[in-house]
Amino acid sequence: GGRHRRQARPAARPDLRLGRLARGRPLRAAHRRRVHRAAPRPARRAAPPPGGGTVSGLARTLAVTLTGLTGHIVEVEAHCAPGLPAFTLVGLPDAAVRESRERVRAALSTCGVTWGERRLTVNLSPADLPKTGTGFDVSMALAVLAARGELPRRALASLAGTVFIGELGLDASVR
């Protein structure tokens, strides 16, 4: 019998088969397939969020903590990034400072700030110094607003060099 159409015929010369190396040598250029690729498209920039800030941002403010009668300057850093909604507070906070997360969230929600799909991390440094009291609320709220891009850019420089002390009420009043 004859051959069926679907049976492959052996190549006349094994070194000329397309897509394979033959006997350790690369294929001849005339027998390689040419792939035409379109020029890469430039990356599209996302529209800036309301307020003109960035989606992923970092902002700093200052606060004060007491150790006995001695006051220590604490840098409050807030980082906002896209992701699952979370509000993480790090830097050796005591129970009152940990509760400030909820006071800040409630106060900003009262003012009309929507949380959306963003992950917030607030760092209180130096990390080895215990942070006590409720005086961190205002500095945390301002750092969070700046990191989310809700404040004008020209305000960021003055935030980083100013100490903010105050407790926030759930209605956003300062005590």
Side-chain angles (χ1 to χ4, degrees):
R3 292 183 183 225
H4 290 88
R5 280 190 144 193
R6 293 189 180 191
Q7 279 184 331
R9 292 183 181 170
R13 290 182 47 198
D15 61 332
L16 296 181
R17 285 183 289 179
L18 296 178
R20 298 184 187 214
L21 294 178
R23 297 186 186 131
R25 295 187 314 255
L27 295 175
R28 291 183 7 205
H31 295 285
R32 289 187 190 138
R33 288 186 183 169
R34 292 187 181 172
V35 178
H36 296 283
R37 294 186 179 126
R41 292 184 179 181
R44 296 177 75 189
R45 288 189 175 183
T54 60
V55 173
S56 177
L58 179 69
R60 293 181 174 91
T61 61
L62 298 174
V64 173
T65 188
L66 293 175
T67 305
L69 296 176
T70 307
H72 299 278
I73 299 288
V74 174
E75 186 176 36
V76 179
E77 295 176 306
H79 180 259
C80 180
L84 292 175
F87 193 145
T88 308
L89 186 60
V90 294
L92 203 56
D94 72 346
V97 178
R98 279 193 301 270
E99 290 171 357
S100 67
R101 283 187 313 195
E102 300 308 318
R103 286 191 299 273
V104 167
R105 182 178 294 196
L108 294 181
S109 295
T110 301
C111 294
V113 175
T114 57
W115 291 98
E117 298 292 321
R118 294 185 183 172
R119 178 176 183 78
L120 289 168
T121 305
V122 176
N123 179 35
L124 306 173
S125 65
D128 60 344
L129 186 67
K131 283 64 166 195
T132 58
T134 58
F136 291 91
D137 293 359
V138 173
S139 61
M140 283 176 51
L142 290 171
V144 165
L145 285 173
R148 291 171 47 94
E150 303 284 340
L151 299 179
R153 287 199 181 272
R154 66 181 183 274
L156 297 180
S158 63
L159 280 179
T162 307
V163 175
F164 297 96
I165 302 172
E167 177 184 349
L168 286 175
L170 299 180
D171 59 348
S173 62
V174 179
R175 299 179 184 155

